[in-house]
Amino acid sequence: MIITKTMRTLAAATLAIAVSVSLAGCEGQIPQPSTDTTADTSTSTTATPDLTEAQEKAIRKAILDAYQAAGDSKNTDGLDSRVTGPALDIYSSRITIARTTGTLDKYATIPADIAQTVIPTDSGWPRAVFSITTTTEDQQSKRLLVMVQDSARSNYKLWGVARLFQGTTLPSFAVPTIGASLGSPTDSGLVATPQDAVNQYADVLANGSNSKYAANIADDELRKNLATTTQQVADGMARNNGTQQQVFTPVDGAIHVMRSVDGGDLVVAQINSQWTRQAGEGRESQPASNDERALFGDAKSTSTIRVSYVNTIALYVPAKDSGKQITAVGADRQVVKVEAL
């Protein structure tokens, strides 16, 4: 009996160690069972933030260490262990281009320090944390980072990066010790649901002032720059009887939403786009930028070229009765593929 009892004790201790080790590898808050057996299960407990500020800092450092190492080595092997979604598509393309040009795009820079973090209290998965960095050493604008965790036992990964537009004012959020609330693509009480806002913005990117949603969307830096570039290319192609078309498509499920204390939502989403350019008769369509040329490489040109972009868009969607427009507060845009058709 003494031997049996000892073996049971050892087995229980071994199990306890195994459980503690498996949970130690997780990032974030793991729900714990209540120790109060007399508690009324119909009464909800006060929600607590998913992470402490110290945990957010450690997670962000682990992500950025992997991010920086990939950029320094110009090698994406293993990058997907810490970077995912549009951030992975964009950074992988920039690293590929850097192998040709020898220099990584300055827009790939992510400062190590932050000005603010927004940590939710939601207990389920997937979950996200929004953090806003400081400006870069060369005074580029702050970055909005979206870090996501798909399950209780998976690591947080960098899902999206948006470079905040100059002069942008973000909405207010609950302090990290209190915690914010994750929104959903179908949140109501806004001028549009987050998903509808993304769809409308994609239409405005494609059609500009001719979009039926143009009045709903405030003008912004990305739209201005895109319109200027598109017009310059269009003018050049028109002289040779060429044509062009851009199509912007929101990616299903590629959206993260954080509710603000102002009554609106901060929405970060992925919109992919394809820019097809066709030269006039007897002419060839060529890449239109250094990045496009680096990705096109030695491929044979034809009369038609198709260029694929990944766009990470950050939108503020205000409350329905605010009288305000949907406003883009930041973005990142990167060519990821160039092909002759």
Side-chain angles (χ1 to χ4, degrees), residues 196-197 199-204 207-218 223 325-326:
D196 283 344
N199 295 343
Q200 290 182 29
Y201 190 76
D203 192 84
V204 170
N207 299 302
S209 59
N210 294 323
S211 169
K212 63 181 179 180
Y213 303 113
N216 299 347
I217 312 289
R223 289 173 58 193
Q325 295 172 295
I326 298 165

Side-chain angles (χ1 to χ4, degrees), residues 31 33 40 42 58 100 116 121 126 129 145 149 184 200 207 296 340:
D40 182 353
S42 65
T100 298
Q116 179 184 5
T121 60
V129 174
L145 311 180
Q149 185 186 36
S184 79
Q200 290 182 29
N207 299 302
F296 192 66

Side-chain angles (χ1 to χ4, degrees), residues 51 59 96 117 122 127 148 151 153 161 166 210 212 231 234 265 275 279 329 340:
L51 301 170
I59 289 167
T96 299
T117 186
D122 301 67
R127 57 177 54 165
V148 301
S151 67
R153 289 171 175 77
V161 181
Q166 296 292 341
N210 294 323
K212 63 181 179 180
Q231 190 59 53
D265 282 0
W275 191 359
V329 296

Side-chain angles (χ1 to χ4, degrees), residues 296-315:
F296 192 66
D298 297 328
K300 180 176 174 55
S301 297
T302 65
S303 62
T304 304
I305 193 169
R306 183 169 63 197
V307 185
S308 299
Y309 281 80
V310 170
N311 307 278
T312 303
I313 308 297
L315 301 174

Side-chain angles (χ1 to χ4, degrees), residues 32-111:
Q32 299 295 325
S34 173
T35 57
D36 183 1
T37 57
T38 64
D40 182 353
T41 57
S42 65
T43 303
S44 61
T45 58
T46 302
T48 57
D50 296 337
L51 301 170
T52 65
E53 291 177 85
Q55 286 176 313
E56 183 278 338
K57 182 177 181 179
I59 289 167
R60 179 166 36 83
K61 182 180 185 304
I63 289 172
L64 294 185
D65 283 349
Y67 183 94
Q68 185 68 42
D72 290 344
S73 64
K74 298 182 179 62
N75 189 330
T76 59
D77 290 348
L79 182 62
D80 58 357
S81 68
R82 279 298 187 175
V83 184
T84 188
L88 180 61
D89 294 337
I90 288 173
Y91 196 43
S92 295
S93 178
R94 285 175 174 158
I95 288 174
T96 299
I97 291 168
R99 293 194 200 112
T100 298
T101 63
T103 304
L104 193 63
D105 193 323
K106 67 178 184 179
Y107 292 140
T109 303
I110 299 178

Side-chain angles (χ1 to χ4, degrees), residues 224-279:
K224 290 177 182 177
N225 292 341
L226 184 60
T228 298
T229 301
T230 301
Q231 190 59 53
Q232 289 173 345
V233 173
D235 290 345
M237 298 193 72
R239 288 192 290 269
N240 299 309
N241 298 318
T243 60
Q244 66 167 341
Q245 180 185 26
Q246 292 193 73
V247 177
F248 291 81
T249 307
V251 177
D252 288 344
I255 182 172
H256 291 279
V257 183
M258 192 74 73
R259 293 172 182 153
S260 75
V261 298
D262 303 332
D265 282 0
L266 182 58
V267 180
V268 184
Q270 179 180 356
I271 299 176
N272 289 348
S273 58
Q274 286 191 332
W275 191 359
T276 303
R277 305 190 293 264
Q278 186 169 14

Side-chain angles (χ1 to χ4, degrees), residues 19 85 98 110 140 227:
V19 171
I110 299 178
Q140 292 180 51

